Amino acid sequence: MTSVLVRNGRIITATDDYIADILVEDGLIRAIGRGLDAGPQAEIHDATGMLVLPGGVDAHTHLDWDFGVARTVDTFATGTRAAAFGGTTTVVDFCNQGAASPLGALEDWHARAATASVDVGAHMILNRVDDEVLRDMRTLIQREGVTSFKLFMAYPGTLMLDDGGIFRVMREAAEHGAVVCLHAENGPVIQVLVDEAVAAGRTAPQYHEATRPAILEGEATQRAITLAQLTGAITYFVHLSASQALGAVTDARQRGQSIYAETCPHYLFLTREEYERDGFEGAKFVMTPPLRSREHQDALWLGLRTGTLSVISTDHCPFCMAEQPLGMLYSKQQGRDDFSKIPNGAPGIETRLPLVFDGGVRTGRISLNRMVELLSTAPAKIFGLYPQKGTIAPGSDADLVLLDPAETWTVRAAEHHSRVDYSLFEGRELTGRVRKVFLRGQLIVDGATWLGRDGMGRFLRRTTSASSDPR
Ligand code: DUC
Ligand code: ZN
Ligand code: ZN
């Protein structure tokens, strides 16, 4: 039995803030208290002056995601290592049904996810619905521990499900207590705007933003909320970026619907002005939904403060700016002459915690407790991982992050651990740095040193029920 003692840190959970020691045995938190004795064999870590946080839970990643015309650049090995350096010890990644059956797609996802070095769960993206798919949903929920499904209201002809399909999935999910995650944008209308822009020669990256108006995110969000009301499905809006969508979520929650929403660091710290960069530079910011104006950003911060938004996830969906060395399939260069061909997505798996600490907590926009809730506790609860993940308590996995609240550093893509060749936040100075990370009691990040191992991550079979209301 290996024991680890993390001494004298300032422990922050979603509700508490106190100084104590944490005793870890066999990967679990055994005791928390002052002056704990771990015996002579224990590995001791002095956490004086550090914040001790529960390992981050990133509920939205696309690792090694092959969607035909493009593929994300991070493998599970590189992506989860980058996650760990950013204080994330659990990712819930999107498995794509694609042309396969959902169960077949999951098998393939497991083969790729076997190299993960932090713990991983899977959501299933459904882009086709029939009786067999609905049967697979049941099996996924009851046997495979895959208890959430993502549906796209955008990308007609490829990923999009129509309203009838969404309704069928929601009805099935509601019967089993599963969560339906939605990419809410009115895809068919966006397609008209995109086709018109390209035909008129408006092909630069900035037209990605111009053809995806915020109001169409609001409309789709409201439509999905109506279907959720009809079916009773627990519904979670991914990457919410628009104030109209936020308004719809606020109203639904006030009516008592089980509606949750996440936003992402790029919507909180960047605005649409990034698309005005010279040449093809704006392609770095081609993610969906696009970056919005300052007014939307202010609304998102308000949503985080008031509880309308429950989670901050990364939507880590990385493609390289350069064609080499990975090749065109992995590169934004596909859309050099036509913004509609730029693979949609951006990196962020390694910078979530430091960005939110620096730009959220240090600026006084949210409290430390609220930060922990948004980055760890709430996603663990919503996606059936709590209290194994998402908190620091006896019996929970000893996933711990030691954050130095005073260290200042500069974001540099050249120094991060993802395979992607740029950062949305290049050159940004941040205060607050991850110093040590433990996964189930094992030290995997020690300053700049990687002590983890590819494949040491475990697959997490998730339950359907949040053990208490995650807000
Ligand atoms: N939606 C996502 O969630 N990720 C990448 C692309 C997209 O449209
Ligand atoms: Zn999406
Ligand atoms: Zn995504």
Side-chain angles (χ1 to χ4, degrees), residues 174-376:
E175 197 175 312
H176 303 284
V179 178
V180 177
C181 303
L182 279 157
H183 174 132
E185 284 185 304
N186 186 319
V189 175
I190 287 169
Q191 195 58 54
V192 172
L193 296 174
V194 169
D195 291 346
E196 286 174 357
V198 173
R202 295 191 289 270
T203 54
Q206 71 195 81
Y207 294 105
H208 172 73
E209 187 265 340
T211 53
R212 307 188 91 91
I215 196 170
L216 293 181
E217 186 183 338
E219 182 277 331
T221 304
Q222 182 53 59
R223 186 156 31 102
I225 285 171
T226 303
L227 298 176
Q229 202 170 7
L230 195 61
T231 55
I234 304 167
T235 301
Y236 178 95
F237 291 95
V238 294
H239 50 48
L240 189 144
S241 69
S243 62
Q244 295 92 332
L246 192 72
V249 170
T250 308
D251 293 348
R253 286 168 67 84
Q254 267 165 11
R255 279 196 302 272
Q257 277 186 258
S258 293
I259 301 286
Y260 304 104
E262 66 172 26
T263 192
C264 310
H266 37 269
Y267 303 119
L268 295 170
F269 299 112
L270 300 170
T271 57
R272 60 193 290 277
E273 281 69 32
E274 302 293 349
Y275 297 113
E276 289 162 15
R277 291 185 181 209
D278 289 343
F280 195 56
E281 277 290 286
K284 289 178 177 169
F285 306 89
V286 170
M287 77 284 286
T288 313
L291 300 175
R292 308 277 190 204
S293 65
R294 187 58 199 262
E295 290 69 41
H296 291 283
Q297 190 176 85
D298 290 345
L300 296 179
W301 280 108
L302 192 65
L304 291 172
R305 285 174 68 87
T306 56
T308 301
L309 293 171
S310 302
V311 173
I312 302 175
S313 300
T314 63
D315 193 3
H316 182 72
C317 189
F319 302 99
C320 283
M321 279 296 282
E323 184 188 337
Q324 297 302 335
L326 294 174
M328 199 54 120
L329 186 65
Y330 297 88
S331 173
K332 298 255 181 194
Q333 295 301 327
Q334 288 190 55
R336 178 119 216 141
D337 303 318
D338 176 351
F339 75 89
S340 70
K341 297 198 167 63
I342 301 172
N344 287 192
I349 205 164
E350 196 165 342
T351 43
R352 181 179 68 146
L353 168 60
L355 281 168
V356 175
F357 178 74
D358 180 78
V361 175
R362 289 187 70 250
T363 54
R365 285 158 149 162
I366 54 171
S367 68
L368 265 175
N369 299 115
R370 181 73 177 132
M371 179 185 80
V372 168
E373 187 170 40
L374 290 162
L375 302 186
S376 181

Side-chain angles (χ1 to χ4, degrees), residues 399-463:
D399 297 345
L400 303 171
V401 175
L402 271 51
L403 182 98
D404 180 345
E407 185 175 338
T408 297
W409 60 290
T410 304
V411 178
R412 301 264 179 239
E415 289 164 21
H416 65 199
H417 300 81
S418 163
R419 291 213 293 177
V420 76
D421 59 1
Y422 76 97
S423 167
L424 296 176
F425 300 97
E426 184 72 28
R428 187 172 289 225
E429 195 171 90
L430 300 176
T431 298
R433 189 162 206 183
V434 172
R435 298 311 315 177
K436 291 188 181 185
V437 178
F438 298 83
L439 176 72
R440 287 179 269 102
Q442 197 169 324
L443 186 65
I444 57 172
V445 170
D446 188 4
T449 307
W450 175 241
L451 299 172
R453 188 174 35 79
D454 293 355
M456 72 184 286
R458 288 187 186 156
F459 176 66
L460 298 164
R461 281 173 197 279
R462 297 179 292 116
T463 63

Side-chain angles (χ1 to χ4, degrees), residues 24 92 240 360:
V24 176
V92 190
L240 189 144

